[in-house]
Amino acid sequence: QPRSRGLGAVYKRQSLSTRSALAAHLAVSAVALAAALLLVGCANPGPAHTPLAQTTPAAAGLTAVTTDVVAPSQWWKALGDEQLNTLIDTALQGSPSLAVSRARLEQAVALSQVREAANGPQATLGVDATRQRYTANGLVPAPVAGNTYNSGTVQATLSWSPDFFGQHAAELQAALGQARAAQADAAAAANTLAAQVGRSYVALARLVAQRDVATRALEQREEQRKLTQERTSAGLDSQVELTQAQAAVPDARTQIEALEEQITLGRRQLAVLTGQAPDALPQLTPRLAALQPTAVPEVLGADLLGRRPDVVAARWRVEAATQGVNSARSEFYPNINIGAFIGLNSLGLDRLFNGSSRQMGVTPALRLPIFDGGRLRAQLGGRAAEMDVAIAQYNGAVLDAVKEAGDAVASIQSLTRQQALQDEAVASAEKAYRFAQERYRAGLGNYLVVLSTESQVLAQRRLAVDLRARQLDTRLVLMKALGGGWTDDTAVLHTAAAH
């Protein structure tokens, strides 16, 4: 009986000891958990940031209807000039500036693929071999100490960081946003390049037309000089009229030479824009009459913003910056990494593949931000500022797009009214010229009056050339402002990443 009570006391003491140990363990765990929560609380992200407001189509002055005129794909073909079609196609294939945009797109896509690959499980296989002499006076004991041995390791490692708090997803979306923006930037660069080639072509055609008018003006002044010289010899005019007529001839030649210089420079500019040598287009002579004006929209709809690659690129940068903020905020939460390894290791290569050389293990890891609260809050603030910059740039891109398109429409409408007035002026000048010719044939006037009247006709032709060139140039600006026939294909990157 006493022994029985003694055993019971032992069991009771052991039970009390076990419960005390369990209670102590729970207490330590609770204290550790509380300490961890307190330390995590030290890395507080602070108050939420209120981002800038994005402008709306209505605030930018766009209507809710769809734009009634849309720039077609390869809009330049509507101008009806095969030379221009060839030049723009050449530019889109070989321009160095466009090659830079494409290379940046490939770089951005590659970075997004790197980010996507980094979010999944990572596996590596390593094989190492070493020949080493071990010091006799170090930590390694005999018989290794003081001798030279071969050692080898064959090890496979697997690691994975679960995305419990959305950091990896945010980083991937940020990278995809930058890639989509780069894709839209490449389309914007192609649109801008096509417009530059078209506008340079129209400018060259204007110079050629002005040269034709200047050539006729030179012929007219030669006739005036010759006629004035005859009249001076006959005593009908003085040396004053003759000197004036003679001075007008080199002046006309100077104007032609200036136009020839501008034509040469225009050809060289077009050659470089198309990715060719500067002297590759010495005979290019475009004609304004060969270019046909394109249609003009009556109103600008909200769908304009979806057709402009530069605006779409700015919108994707806002998305990327927003995801950057989400990624920076997730830095305040624990980071968990699960790792494992298995392999073979031995001192002596002859025993490397023995069963006793195997090694394996797991390496779970938990990282908590403790005293990095200031650094993380600064990083989050920087990302928030980047988002505000992206939003402000997007708002600016929207306003610039609406202004560019609206300005082009307004200019075209004004030029249409100017064209009507110009037609009246040309008709009047040509009518006066016909009357002067009829009077001269009837013997009622001299030929100097005919030539003087023709000067007014030539002046109106110069104005007509400039006006037609401006009409064509403004329509090219409008085609660019309407997006150049681009359709948003940036979602393809998301589909590719998903697979």
Side-chain angles (χ1 to χ4, degrees):
Q1 185 67 28
R3 182 176 180 180
S4 178
R5 286 196 300 269
L7 289 174
V10 171
Y11 293 148
K12 185 176 182 180
R13 285 195 301 270
Q14 290 178 346
S15 179
L16 289 173
S17 177
T18 302
R19 287 197 297 269
S20 298
L22 180 59
H25 178 72
L26 291 175
V28 171
S29 299
V31 171
L33 179 60
L37 293 176
L38 179 61
L39 292 174
V40 173
C42 293
N44 190 294
H49 172 74
T50 302
L52 293 177
Q54 294 188 40
T55 189
T56 62
L62 297 174
T63 64
V65 300
T66 301
T67 302
D68 54 348
V69 175
V70 178
S73 177
Q74 297 184 331
W75 49 265
W76 53 89
K77 292 187 175 180
L79 297 172
D81 192 310
E82 287 301 325
Q83 280 190 128
L84 177 60
N85 296 342
T86 302
L87 286 172
I88 293 181
D89 290 342
T90 302
L92 294 179
Q93 293 174 7
S95 171
S97 61
L98 201 57
V100 171
S101 298
R102 290 168 178 161
R104 287 174 177 167
L105 169 59
E106 293 175 359
Q107 180 185 31
V109 171
L111 290 175
S112 68
Q113 293 172 344
V114 169
R115 173 54 56 190
E116 181 184 17
N119 292 341
Q122 306 296 310
T124 59
L125 176 65
V127 179
D128 298 307
T130 305
R131 180 172 179 80
Q132 178 180 348
R133 182 188 185 282
Y134 294 87
T135 175
N137 302 313
L139 296 177
V140 179
V144 177
N147 294 300
T148 301
Y149 287 91
N150 296 323
S151 61
T153 301
V154 178
Q155 181 168 296
T157 304
L158 178 67
S159 64
W160 178 48
S161 181
D163 193 18
F164 291 119
F165 302 103
Q167 179 180 3
H168 298 167
E171 291 173 346
L172 175 59
Q173 290 303 317
L176 284 174
Q178 293 292 350
R180 292 167 183 150
Q183 184 172 355
D185 281 338
N191 183 25
T192 299
L193 179 61
Q196 286 177 335
V197 173
R199 297 184 68 185
S200 297
Y201 189 83
V202 169
L204 181 58
R206 170 189 165 275
L207 293 172
V208 171
Q210 289 289 13
R211 184 184 62 182
D212 292 342
V213 176
T215 300
R216 175 54 197 154
L218 175 61
E219 295 172 354
Q220 181 207 44
R221 292 184 183 184
E222 289 278 9
E223 293 177 2
Q224 284 180 328
R225 182 192 58 78
K226 181 179 180 181
L227 184 57
T228 303
Q229 187 173 13
E230 292 174 354
R231 289 175 60 84
T232 302
S233 299
L236 300 177
D237 285 333
S238 67
Q239 289 295 324
V240 174
E241 287 81 1
L242 178 59
T243 303
Q244 290 177 341
Q246 289 174 340
V249 174
D251 179 66
R253 288 175 177 165
T254 301
Q255 295 179 18
I256 293 176
E257 184 58 36
L259 289 170
E260 291 286 1
E261 176 195 7
Q262 295 178 50
I263 289 172
T264 299
L265 296 179
R267 287 169 174 165
R268 291 172 64 85
Q269 180 184 15
L270 267 171
V272 173
L273 281 175
T274 55
Q276 304 179 69
D279 296 325
L281 304 172
Q283 304 300 324
L284 181 63
T285 307
R287 298 292 176 181
L288 282 177
L291 298 169
Q292 303 301 319
T294 54
V296 180
E298 296 293 333
V299 295
L300 297 176
D303 58 328
L304 167 68
L305 302 183
R307 296 195 184 107
R308 292 268 307 211
D310 55 338
V311 175
V312 174
R315 176 168 56 83
W316 279 122
R317 288 194 173 89
V318 171
E319 173 64 21
T322 302
Q323 295 298 333
V325 171
N326 295 337
S327 175
R329 187 176 294 276
S330 66
E331 293 281 352
F332 289 87
Y333 300 107
N335 181 25
I336 300 173
N337 185 273
I338 300 173
F341 66 90
I342 183 171
L344 302 169
N345 178 265
S346 70
L347 189 64
L349 297 180
D350 56 330
R351 293 176 294 176
L352 178 61
F353 295 100
N354 291 349
S356 57
S357 297
R358 68 183 183 279
Q359 61 179 8
M360 63 187 68
V362 293
T363 57
L366 174 66
R367 302 289 185 270
L368 297 175
I370 299 177
F371 296 113
D372 274 349
R375 180 183 65 83
L376 294 179
R377 278 192 292 272
Q379 178 177 292
L380 178 59
R383 293 293 180 87
E386 290 177 3
M387 180 175 64
D388 286 344
V389 169
I391 294 174
Q393 290 175 339
Y394 170 78
N395 292 343
V398 170
L399 294 177
D400 288 343
V402 175
K403 179 182 181 300
E404 184 181 10
D407 287 353
V409 171
S411 294
I412 290 174
Q413 292 172 348
S414 175
L415 289 170
T416 300
R417 294 189 293 269
Q418 293 178 45
Q419 183 65 60
L421 298 174
Q422 175 65 24
D423 290 342
E424 293 180 10
V426 170
S428 298
E430 291 180 347
K431 184 177 181 181
Y433 180 53
R434 287 196 304 272
F435 285 160
Q437 288 178 317
E438 292 172 0
R439 286 176 57 82
Y440 172 72
R441 294 189 188 102
L444 301 178
N446 61 52
Y447 196 62
L448 282 177
V449 175
V450 175
L451 294 176
S452 177
T453 308
E454 187 184 11
S455 297
Q456 299 178 9
V457 174
L458 293 176
Q460 291 300 325
R461 287 179 182 174
R462 291 190 189 95
L463 295 175
V465 166
D466 288 342
L467 186 58
R468 180 170 178 80
R470 281 196 61 198
Q471 287 180 314
L472 291 168
D473 181 77
T474 308
R475 279 173 165 78
L476 296 180
V477 172
L478 179 60
M479 290 298 102
K480 172 183 175 295
L482 293 177
W486 179 71
T487 55
D488 189 355
D489 57 352
T490 53
V492 175
L493 290 178
H494 181 270
T495 303
H499 293 82

